[in-house]
Amino acid sequence: MIELFYFHDATCGIKARLALMEKGVRYTARVLDRFELTRPEYLAINPKGVVPTLIHDGQILFESSVICLYADDAFSGPPLKPETALDRARMYTWLKTIDEQYFKGIGSITFGFAIRKKILAQYTSEEGLEEYFQSVRVPEYRERRRSIVALGPQAPAVRDGLHTLAGMIETLDASLQHNAFAAGPRYSLADACLTPLVMRLEVFGLARLWEERPRVADWWSRVQQRDSYQRLLQESFPDQYFQDMHELVGDIWPDVSGLLTESA
């Protein structure tokens, strides 16, 4: 039996789902909401209180990149690692950089431009807000969120995140100069793991980051046409989701452009 725990728009959950979909793996979806992550039942499975979590025949795995690599090794289906050693090294570099830099960046801008508004609307007292912060189990995440709630888009983590993600698009563009995909001539885990990050940027109205980069625009168009991406949309992203996000986030490009320019 294969179970995957995630919530619908979690970036790390998306990349694990894409890997399983690309491999043609059938799994039981355990869909959570963000506030279920701190419940004792889930913490008994994943003590970090994050998604995704994969359970395969009773064996529990977390860390999204580990799950992606496991999916490629454990199940039949199209290979999701490049054929050559050099391209595999490039793929591993993408996965490492996504985990260490880009994930933090996308989390910071998501919190700064979207989730912060929900938190402030829900927790209207200092005591309630502090209770929320204390529910964040990873100290690094807790303090970053505390700063972003206090300072909003002006928080250092948000500014750094925007620069990091602009750099991601630049690096992807350079990779596509000689390859059809991020780590070689065919789709790999590098593309699957980049997908939710680029998707989030687009949802936030930040596709202008690649409007003058036709190679990235073409890559993104081809990724969106894949069966795995279309299935993802059907399962988790109805039109109403995009409308709601647009209303929540608003037009942030002027702020983003200003932050990128003033810190350049």
Side-chain angles (χ1 to χ4, degrees):
M1 183 177 181
I2 305 167
E3 301 171 86
L4 186 70
F5 293 76
Y6 62 89
F7 54 88
H8 283 298
D9 63 347
T11 52
C12 288
I14 289 171
K15 70 183 190 182
R17 293 165 67 191
L18 288 172
L20 291 169
M21 290 174 184
E22 289 282 343
K23 297 294 288 188
V25 177
R26 294 185 177 182
Y27 60 88
T28 299
R30 305 297 188 193
V31 183
L32 309 173
D33 65 47
R34 191 177 296 272
F35 298 101
E36 288 181 281
L37 301 181
T38 57
R39 291 180 179 173
E41 310 93 282
Y42 186 68
L43 293 173
I45 300 170
N46 186 327
K48 287 187 175 182
V50 297
V51 290
T53 300
L54 179 75
I55 303 180
H56 182 200
D57 292 338
Q59 301 300 311
I60 301 174
L61 293 172
F62 19 87
E63 300 297 340
S64 55
S65 291
V66 171
I67 292 172
C68 290
L69 290 165
Y70 178 82
D72 194 42
D73 290 337
F75 304 111
S76 60
L80 295 178
K81 297 189 189 74
E83 187 173 357
T84 70
L86 181 58
D87 285 344
R88 287 196 297 275
R90 289 171 175 149
M91 183 202 76
Y92 291 130
T93 299
W94 273 114
L95 267 59
K96 180 178 174 64
T97 310
I98 288 168
D99 286 346
E100 294 181 353
Q101 299 180 30
Y102 302 153
F103 170 72
K104 183 186 295 184
I106 207 72
S108 294
I109 71 164
T110 299
F111 217 87
F113 291 111
I115 297 176
R116 173 178 180 265
K117 296 177 181 178
K118 293 183 177 180
I119 294 298
L120 290 174
Q122 181 172 352
Y123 300 99
T124 56
S125 67
E126 290 186 10
E127 293 80 6
L129 197 56
E130 183 59 29
E131 183 178 348
Y132 162 75
F133 289 135
Q134 292 304 319
S135 73
V136 180
R137 297 179 65 82
V138 180
E140 178 189 354
Y141 297 172
R142 182 189 310 130
E143 295 313 309
R144 187 160 67 241
R145 291 184 186 185
R146 192 188 298 275
S147 171
I148 295 172
V149 167
L151 300 175
Q154 296 299 320
V158 176
R159 295 186 182 206
D160 292 346
L162 288 170
H163 279 278
T164 297
L165 295 166
M168 177 188 77
I169 296 299
E170 183 177 357
T171 301
L172 177 58
D173 188 38
S175 297
L176 295 170
Q177 186 173 356
H178 302 293
N179 293 295
F181 290 97
R186 72 185 186 200
Y187 184 95
S188 74
L189 290 175
D191 304 284
C193 293
L194 281 164
T195 293
L197 307 182
V198 178
M199 181 184 188
R200 180 67 54 81
L201 291 174
E202 185 173 67
V203 168
F204 279 19
L206 300 182
R208 296 189 199 185
L209 290 172
W210 60 87
E211 67 179 359
E212 295 183 2
R213 298 184 183 275
R215 288 188 293 263
V216 176
D218 175 70
W219 168 86
W220 183 230
S221 176
R222 287 183 285 114
V223 166
Q224 290 177 299
Q225 292 170 25
R226 297 183 73 84
D227 289 344
S228 59
Y229 187 86
Q230 290 300 312
R231 178 180 162 190
L232 184 77
L233 292 181
Q234 292 172 6
E235 290 184 358
S236 295
F237 296 97
D239 291 343
Q240 189 62 46
Y241 170 84
F242 297 101
Q243 295 172 17
D244 291 345
M245 288 300 293
H246 178 72
E247 292 179 5
L248 176 65
V249 176
D251 180 11
I252 64 172
W253 179 251
D255 290 337
V256 168
S257 179
L259 289 169
L260 290 173
T261 300
E262 72 181 42
S263 302

